[in-house]
Amino acid sequence: MKILVCISKSPDTTAKIAFTDNNTKFATDGVQWIINPYDEWYALVKAIEIKEKDPSAVIHLVTVGGADAEPVIRKALALGGDEAIRINTASQDSFYIASQIAETAKQGAYDLVLAGKETIDYNSASIGGMVAELLGLPYVSLATRLDLNGNTVAVTREIEGGEELCEVNIPAVVSCQKGMAEARIPNMRGIMAARTKSLKVTEPVAAEHLTSIVRFELPPAKAGVKLIPADDAAELVKILHEEVKVI
Amino acid sequence: MSVLIFIDQSEGQVKKGALEALSYGAKVAAQLGLSAEGVVLGKLSEDIAALGKYGVKKIYHVADEQLNHLDAQVFTDVIAQVVQSSGATVIVFSNNTDGKAIAPRLSAKLKAGLVSGAVALPDTGNGFSVKKSVFSGKAFAHVAIHTDIKIIAVNPNSFSTAASGGDNAEVVNFNATIAAPKVKVTGVNKVKGEIPLSEAEIVVSGGRGLKGPENWGMIEELAKLLSAATACSRPVADTHWRPHHEHVGQTGLAIAPNLYIAIGISGAIQHLAGVNRSKTIVVINKDPEAPFFKAADYGIVGDAFEVVPRIIEEVKKLKGVA
Ligand SMILES: Cc1cc2nc3c(=O)[nH]c(=O)nc-3n(C[C@H](O)[C@H](O)[C@H](O)COP(=O)(O)OP(=O)(O)OC[C@H]3O[C@@H](n4cnc5c(N)ncnc54)[C@H](O)[C@@H]3O)c2cc1C
Ligand SMILES: Nc1ncnc2c1ncn2[C@@H]1O[C@H](COP(=O)(O)O)[C@@H](O)[C@H]1O
C-alpha cells in the first residue's frame, strides 16, 4: 500500500487578510503558516490510520512550493509521513500545480492519492479532480469516510442534504474533509524522527498556466450592527419581514 | 459557439445549484452574444424542455441509466463529447458537490482554464476574468482565464434561481460513448424532511452558549417555522451535540444564505469564515462584547433561553400559526 498525500501550506486561520503591490499580492508580513487544515486533519491523519492498521503501508507527502514551504512539510513528517517531496516552484494556477503532483504520482505508482477538500486561501477545490484526470484515475470528492478493504475502498461522499456511499478499486484519488479522521498533534518522538526523514527537492516539469490572478479585493465593511432590545422580539421579526423581506 | 450549462440532478430532481447555473449561464450567453445551451445526464423526472424558461434554447440529454449516479470520470468524458460536438466555448457549473467533482476534471481534460467559486458575471473588458471568493469569504480575487474554452463554477446562493421567461427548450437526445463507471454507488442517505444546509435560504445556528443538546428543541422549532436549515459551531459538532454535517465555518461547510441567525455563538474568526457571505446576519448573544456583533446586521444582547422563545411567538403570529 503506497499512499501519496498532497500537502499545501496556508495562512493561519486567524491571519489578517490584506494585500500589497496594488492589490496583486497577499500581504505575508507577520503571517504564520500552517498545514492546510483539510490536508492535515483529514488527508494525512487518514493515511496514518491506514498505516497503523497495515504497518507495511508507506506514506509519501508532496508539496508544490518554494523553500518557505519546508517548515510546514516538516511538521507533516512529524505527524507521520515517511518521506516528503517538495517540487520547487510557486504558482497560483491549479492546473500547473496539479500537473506537478500528477508527475510525481505517476513516478511513484501510488495506490491512493489523498488531497484536502480545498485550500483555505484560494478555495479552489480543484487540484484533486485535476490530478485524477491527468492520471486517468477515478475520483471521489468531498469524502467524509474511507475504509480500505483489500483492493477496494469504501468511501462516503457529501452530497446536497446527505451522503452517498461508494466503492471504487484502487488506484484512486480522494479529496478529504471533516468526518474522515480526528485531528492529532505531533508528539516529541515524531518531531525528533522527522529531522532524519528524507525531504527530496525536485524541479518542476513543463506545464501550462491556464489562469492567473489579476487582483484581489476586500469586501466592503459592514455598516455596523443595529441592536434591538432583548424584550422586543416583535421589532426584530417586523424588520426581517418588512424591511429586509427575508421571512 | 455557445455557453453550455451543466444541469445536475439528484434522484431525478434538478438541483437548486443547477437553476442558479442556468440563470447565470443565460446571462453570460447574452453578454457574449452566444446561445445558451444545457446538458442533462441521467434520467430526469421533470420536464426537461420546460427548463427553457431559464433562458436555455437547447438541451442535450444523455438518458443512459449508468449516468443516474455520479462517476466524475465518466461524466467528464460525456460532457467533453457534448462540448466538442456543440462547439461550446464557455461551460458553466454550480460549484456544488457535483460541480466540485466534475469541473476540475473537465478543466484538465480540455486544458480549459477554470474559475471555481465565481460570484459575478465575467468581465470581458480586457481579456476574460471572473471574480471569485477567496480566503474563505474574507476577500475576492479577479482571475483571468487564458484558454479558448473557459469553465466557470458559480458559488451556490450567489445568483438567483429566477426564471427569465423563455420558451420551451429544444431537447436533443445526445448519443455519447459511455465507459462503465468505476465508482459504484452502493447507497444514498438523505436527511429526510430537512432542508439541505448548503441550499437553504435561511439558517438557524446554535453554539456552545446553548449548554447542551437537550436545548436544541427551540432551535429546531424556529427553523421549522421559518423553513430554515439548522447549523452549529465546530465545538458543538465535535462534542456530538449535533451531527457533523451541521458544522459551519472554516473547516466545516461554507454557506451563503439570505438570513443567518446565530444563537449563543461567539463569532470566532474561523466560524465567520464559513458564514460571512450570508446576506443578513442576526446575532443573539448574552455577551455584548461577543465578536459576532461586529459582523452582524442585527443583534440582540440577551439570554437565548428568553429571547428565542419570544422570537418563536412573534414568528408564529406573523405566519398565523397557533
Ligand atoms: C484551525 C481552526 C479551525 C476552526 N474551524 C472552525 C469552524 O469551522 N467552525 C467553528 O464554528 N469554529 C471553528 N474553530 C473554533 C473557533 O475558534 C471557536 O472556538 C468556536 O467557533 C467557538 O464556538 P462557539 O461560539 O459555539 O463557543 P464559545 O466560543 O464558547 O461561545 C459561546 C457563546 O455563547 C454565548 N452564550 C453563553 N450562554 C448564552 C446564553 N444563555 N444566551 C446567549 N448567549 C450565550 C457566550 O457569550 C459566547 O459568546 C476553529 C478553530 C481553529 C483553531
Ligand atoms: N501547492 C500545493 N502542493 C501540494 N498539494 C496542494 C497544493 N495546493 C493544493 N494542494 C492539494 O489540493 C487540495 C485542494 O486544493 P485547491 O484545489 O487549491 O483548493 C489541497 O487541500 C491540497 O491537498
Side-chain angles (χ1 to χ4, degrees):
Chain A
M1 189 69 197
K2 263 186 96 178
I3 307 171
L4 182 67
V5 183
C6 305
I7 301 284
S8 53
K9 75 177 201 328
S10 64
D12 170 44
T13 50
T14 58
K16 181 172 174 344
I17 308 303
F19 303 101
T20 61
D21 297 45
N22 265 332
N23 285 326
T24 57
K25 287 202 179 72
F26 174 54
T28 53
D29 272 5
V31 168
Q32 295 257 16
W33 296 93
I34 59 169
I35 310 175
N36 184 46
Y38 292 107
D39 309 355
E40 173 182 345
W41 297 352
Y42 309 128
L44 176 57
V45 175
K46 185 77 231 179
I48 295 169
E49 286 178 0
I50 293 174
K51 192 181 162 91
E52 282 167 353
K53 282 196 196 141
D54 169 12
S56 71
V58 176
I59 304 172
H60 287 179
L61 314 176
V62 62
T63 192
V64 180
D68 56 350
E70 293 210 352
V72 159
I73 199 94
R74 281 274 173 223
K75 185 178 168 214
L77 282 171
L79 273 159
D82 293 309
E83 282 178 32
I85 303 148
R86 177 171 70 82
I87 304 167
N88 187 25
T89 175
S91 169
Q92 288 169 338
D93 179 58
S94 304
F95 180 78
Y96 181 83
I97 297 172
S99 303
Q100 307 306 328
I101 296 174
E103 183 60 31
T104 298
K106 241 178 250 168
Q107 286 175 10
Y110 296 93
D111 300 298
L112 204 53
V113 178
L114 300 180
K117 159 175 126 159
E118 65 183 40
T119 45
I120 63 167
D121 44 6
Y122 297 110
N123 307 115
S124 298
S126 299
I127 295 219
M130 289 181 174
V131 170
E133 185 64 29
L134 292 167
L135 296 172
L137 291 180
Y139 177 49
V140 184
S141 52
L142 308 178
T144 54
R145 188 185 168 132
L146 184 153
D147 296 296
L148 188 64
N149 313 310
N151 275 333
T152 58
V153 278
V155 189
T156 304
R157 78 169 192 109
E158 176 201 328
I159 55 171
E160 276 72 32
E163 55 184 29
E164 202 168 67
L165 316 177
C166 337
E167 271 173 24
V168 60
N169 284 344
I170 52 174
V173 181
V174 177
S175 82
C176 307
Q177 62 166 334
K178 174 141 186 164
M180 180 65 89
E182 294 291 334
R184 299 187 179 190
I185 43 169
N187 56 29
M188 209 50 205
R189 224 175 90 219
I191 295 167
M192 299 303 286
R195 294 197 182 145
T196 57
K197 285 179 183 170
S198 151
L199 195 171
K200 200 169 82 189
V201 179
T202 63
E203 289 307 311
V205 292
E208 282 172 62
H209 285 85
L210 309 182
T211 64
S212 60
I213 294 181
V214 185
R215 67 187 165 90
F216 292 99
E217 185 186 316
L218 289 171
K222 281 253 176 191
V225 61
K226 179 177 160 64
L227 288 179
I228 294 158
D231 54 7
D232 201 359
E235 174 68 8
L236 176 69
V237 171
K238 185 166 165 241
I239 291 175
L240 294 178
H241 181 61
E242 289 175 11
E243 285 177 33
V244 195
K245 297 190 168 55
V246 278
I247 64 171
Chain B
M1 297 218 293
S2 59
V3 174
L4 183 72
I5 302 135
F6 176 61
I7 304 170
D8 64 328
Q9 50 119 343
S10 168
E11 299 178 316
Q13 305 284 317
V14 172
K15 286 195 190 170
K16 186 179 171 213
L19 301 182
E20 294 165 350
L22 275 169
S23 310
Y24 179 90
K27 289 205 183 90
V28 175
Q31 185 185 343
L32 301 175
L34 303 175
S35 83
E37 303 183 343
V39 53
V40 171
L41 307 191
K43 208 173 126 234
L44 207 65
S45 38
E46 298 176 37
D47 178 15
I48 297 181
L51 293 169
K53 65 173 177 280
Y54 293 99
V56 273
K57 299 273 176 286
K58 193 194 265 187
I59 297 176
Y60 300 93
H61 186 206
V62 191
D64 196 289
E65 288 279 314
Q66 295 187 84
L67 301 176
N68 288 351
H69 286 294
L70 173 70
D71 177 318
Q73 194 170 20
V74 176
F75 273 46
T76 300
D77 196 46
V78 172
I79 296 169
Q81 293 172 48
V82 176
V83 170
Q84 198 163 37
S85 124
S86 67
T89 48
V90 178
I91 308 158
V92 177
F93 288 88
S94 166
N95 197 34
N96 64 7
T97 59
D98 288 352
K100 283 178 180 160
I102 309 164
R105 286 200 81 123
L106 191 67
S107 167
K109 186 175 184 83
L110 302 176
K111 286 213 180 159
L114 161 69
V115 174
S116 59
V119 294
L121 289 168
D123 177 352
T124 51
N126 174 18
F128 189 107
S129 70
V130 187
K131 182 173 167 179
K132 71 162 285 187
S133 171
V134 290
F135 293 99
S136 309
K138 285 175 258 179
F140 301 103
H142 295 259
V143 181
I145 305 182
H146 304 301
T147 52
D148 292 340
I149 300 183
K150 294 152 178 91
I151 308 181
I152 306 172
V154 299
N155 252 355
N157 285 338
S158 294
F159 299 94
S160 88
T161 56
S164 49
D167 295 332
N168 270 5
E170 174 197 352
V171 180
V172 178
N173 281 311
F174 187 87
N175 233 327
T177 313
I178 304 169
K182 290 184 196 148
V183 176
K184 200 172 99 196
V185 175
T186 54
V188 177
N189 296 330
K190 282 214 180 166
V191 191
K192 289 262 169 340
E194 279 181 31
I195 295 164
L197 185 51
S198 51
E199 294 186 347
E201 312 252 322
I202 303 180
V203 174
V204 182
S205 189
R208 209 148 51 176
L210 289 170
K211 311 280 185 294
E214 67 282 4
N215 295 328
W216 246 262
M218 61 180 189
I219 302 292
E220 284 174 344
E221 187 182 0
L222 181 58
K224 197 157 174 235
L225 281 167
L226 296 172
S227 303
T230 48
C232 67
S233 66
R234 181 173 147 218
V236 165
D238 281 352
T239 48
H240 305 292
W241 293 0
R242 298 296 292 175
H244 276 317
H245 65 78
E246 283 197 358
H247 158 199
V248 292
Q250 182 108 54
T251 46
L253 206 60
I255 53 171
N258 292 334
L259 175 62
Y260 183 73
I261 305 180
I263 302 167
I265 304 176
S266 58
I269 192 160
Q270 298 93 354
H271 184 86
L272 296 179
V275 302
N276 53 12
R277 290 193 296 115
S278 308
K279 290 180 191 80
T280 300
I281 296 179
V282 173
V283 169
I284 298 159
N285 195 304
K286 69 174 186 191
D287 173 10
E289 302 297 322
F292 220 144
F293 285 117
K294 290 205 181 68
D297 299 285
Y298 302 96
I300 292 185
V301 179
D303 185 340
F305 296 100
E306 290 165 18
V307 173
V308 176
R310 281 187 207 133
I311 296 178
I312 289 175
E313 283 319 305
E314 291 301 326
V315 175
K316 275 187 179 164
K317 273 191 222 161
L318 176 74
K319 306 252 171 190
V321 184

